[in-house]
């Protein structure tokens, strides 16, 4: 089998990461190939930087499809960019790989990255990275993404105001169910639902363009991407904004597949859906007065948006149904516990 060791570090960089186009991407003065990349930042903009790592055994199983992994590695960073309402432009790729890693695996990851980097706003360009051996066996993929934003226009976690409505894109809990399905934990699942749910876990679809449009029109006051579970991430907004939140369980958007699971398993499933990680949906708050404008943007960008509750005085997240507060013990995914 041809492995990455067959090729060696420098041939590998040359083959996969050296620039192929004759012209440099926008803003890139110097890209892959030197000791560091050099970027030009327009005077009116601020640089937005984020990083995320996928580790074998933590974020993906050893037999995960490398093409999907590459796409996911890029998209989870796009999701953070969406949460800030920044326009992503460049990324760095750091790989730690056991020497036995098949070359075809790396090829798949690189193709996935390239596919996910093509966006309506232009291609996010690879400008550098690092490649190192991982002696202990687990593969890891780290992406650092850089984007631009008009000066002081970032949508942070700290801007929520009492009376704001809480909005959520897409549906919640699918990735948690998808992971459970992949582990063989959901037995009464038909094949179509299994495919849908595992697909949602493997390939998030953060609403980047909608997030930017919401920011452009100054509708979103606070935002976060739901990576650690709805309850935990809404909790982050509450703490940063010094407010509380009230969610209405009837309004929480579920996919048809998740709905069927709730119908089968009952209410016991709700905490797992609300606390399960990797949804990569956009959670934001906005004044009640802009509801119809927000709904118009959702239609325009073809994104499902649901108003799920409201920002209240106080602290913490309360979930209720028909006026009854529900106990929610699990508050989300904590990587270190
Ligand atoms: P240095 O030793 O100076 O840090 P390297 O030999 O690690 O440089 O890398 C050489 C060039 O290849 C650099 O421009 C670096 O950004 C790029 N590079 C290395 N690994 C990757 C990678 N996985 N993805 C993209 N670019 C990479
Ligand atoms: Mg150097």
């Amino acid at each position: 089998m041809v492995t990455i060791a067959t090729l060696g570090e420098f041939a590998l960089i040359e083959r996969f990461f050296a620039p192929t186009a004759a012209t440099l991407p926008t803003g890139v003065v110097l890209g892959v190939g030197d000791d560091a990349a050099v970027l030009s930042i327009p005077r009116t903009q601020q640089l937005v930087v984020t990083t995320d790592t996928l580790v074998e055994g933590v974020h993906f199983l050893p037999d995960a499809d490398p093409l999907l992994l590459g796409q996911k590695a890029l998209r989870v960073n796009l999701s953070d960019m969406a949460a800030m309402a920044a326009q992503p432009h460049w990324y760095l790729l750091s790989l730690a790989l056991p020497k036995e890693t098949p070359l075809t695996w790396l090829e798949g990851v690189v193709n996935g990255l390239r596919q996910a980097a093509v966006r309506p706003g232009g291609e996010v360009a690879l400008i550098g990275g690092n490649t190192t051996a991982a002696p202990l066996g687990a593969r890891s993929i780290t992406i650092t993404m850089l984007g631009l934003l008009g000066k002081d226009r970032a949508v942070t976690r700290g801007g929520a105001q009492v009376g704001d409505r809480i909005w959520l894109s897409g549906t919640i809990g699918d990735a948690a169910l998808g992971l459970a399905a992949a582990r063989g934990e959901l037995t009464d699942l038909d094949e179509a639902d299994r495919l849908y749910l595992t697909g949602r876990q493997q390939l998030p679809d953060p609403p980047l363009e909608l997030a930017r449009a919401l920011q452009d029109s100054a509708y979103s006051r606070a935002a976060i991407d739901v990576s650690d579970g709805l309850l935990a991430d809404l909790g982050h907004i509450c703490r940063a904004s010094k407010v509380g939140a009230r969610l209405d369980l009837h309004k929480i958007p579920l996919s048809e597949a998740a709905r069927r699971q709730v119908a089968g398993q009952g209410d016991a499933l709700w905490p797992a859906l609300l606390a399960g990680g990797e949804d990569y949906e956009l959670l934001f708050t906005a004044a009640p007065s802009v509801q119809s404008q927000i709904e118009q943007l959702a239609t325009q960008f073809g994104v499902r948006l649901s108003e799920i509750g409201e920002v209240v005085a106080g602290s913490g997240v309360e979930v209720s149904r028909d006026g009854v507060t529900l106990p929610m013990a699990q508050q989300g995914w904590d990587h270190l516990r």
Side-chain angles (χ1 to χ4, degrees):
M1 181 180 56
V2 183
T3 67
I4 58 169
T6 319
L7 216 61
E9 181 185 344
F10 300 109
L12 190 140
I13 292 172
E14 187 57 36
R15 167 143 166 206
F16 289 110
F17 308 120
T20 47
T23 55
L24 286 165
T26 317
V28 180
V29 180
L30 196 58
V32 170
D34 217 300
D35 292 307
V38 180
L39 302 171
S40 277
I41 311 299
R43 254 177 222 292
T44 55
Q45 311 263 289
Q46 286 173 331
L47 190 62
V48 182
V49 185
T50 184
T51 191
D52 255 301
T53 299
L54 298 185
V55 180
E56 180 178 351
V58 179
H59 302 92
F60 62 92
L61 299 171
D63 63 353
D65 180 344
L67 189 78
L68 294 176
L69 262 184
Q71 290 181 283
K72 180 168 178 176
L74 202 96
R75 286 189 183 191
V76 298
N77 284 276
L78 290 174
S79 179
D80 281 320
M81 285 285 159
M84 301 307 286
Q87 178 70 51
H89 285 282
W90 312 285
Y91 72 100
L92 296 150
L93 170 67
S94 294
L95 297 167
L97 303 174
K99 292 186 171 134
E100 315 74 67
T101 305
L103 203 60
T104 50
W105 185 88
L106 183 59
E107 224 156 27
V109 169
V110 168
N111 284 335
L113 290 168
R114 287 192 187 130
Q115 285 174 14
V118 178
R119 304 290 305 180
E123 188 167 342
V124 188
L126 180 65
I127 56 165
N130 192 51
T131 308
T132 176
L136 294 181
R139 290 170 278 197
S140 102
I141 307 169
T142 299
I143 295 214
T144 302
M145 192 171 280
L146 302 95
L148 294 175
L149 186 63
K151 269 211 160 73
D152 301 322
R153 296 296 307 275
V155 182
T156 68
R157 300 173 178 189
Q161 295 178 24
V162 172
D164 276 3
R165 297 294 184 258
I166 300 167
W167 294 84
L168 177 69
S169 71
T171 57
I172 215 77
D174 295 329
L177 290 176
L179 189 63
R183 289 184 178 143
E185 289 164 16
L186 302 180
T187 43
D188 62 333
L189 200 59
D190 70 38
E191 198 45 34
D193 283 357
R194 172 184 305 279
L195 271 178
Y196 174 78
L197 294 171
T198 52
R200 288 273 290 156
Q201 195 270 331
Q202 288 166 335
L203 201 53
D205 191 16
L208 188 62
E209 284 69 36
L210 172 75
R212 287 194 40 81
L214 285 166
Q215 184 267 9
D216 278 345
S217 32
Y219 295 150
S220 46
R221 279 181 169 152
I224 191 168
D225 66 322
V226 183
S227 55
D228 297 327
L230 177 61
L231 293 182
D233 288 319
L234 183 53
H236 292 321
I237 286 188
C238 288
R239 267 185 301 282
S241 301
K242 300 189 172 64
V243 295
R246 212 175 278 151
L247 294 184
D248 181 346
L249 202 70
H250 286 306
K251 294 181 170 177
I252 306 288
L254 296 185
S255 65
E256 291 298 315
R259 222 167 257 302
R260 279 189 277 276
Q261 284 302 300
V262 174
Q265 297 189 38
D267 276 352
L269 197 61
W270 272 108
L273 299 176
L274 299 182
E278 298 205 300
D279 295 302
Y280 295 106
E281 295 295 348
L282 182 72
L283 179 69
F284 66 98
T285 81
S289 56
V290 293
Q291 171 166 355
S292 64
Q293 289 93 319
I294 287 175
E295 283 166 351
Q296 270 169 27
L297 281 183
T299 308
Q300 185 186 330
F301 287 91
V303 174
R304 175 173 177 178
L305 267 191
S306 311
E307 187 257 289
I308 59 170
E310 105 180 271
V311 177
V312 296
S315 64
V317 179
E318 191 182 287
V319 185
S320 69
R321 179 169 54 190
D322 305 323
V324 181
T325 303
L326 305 167
M328 288 289 160
Q330 282 172 279
Q331 291 284 312
W333 180 252
D334 181 329
H335 271 282
L336 300 182
R337 289 215 180 124

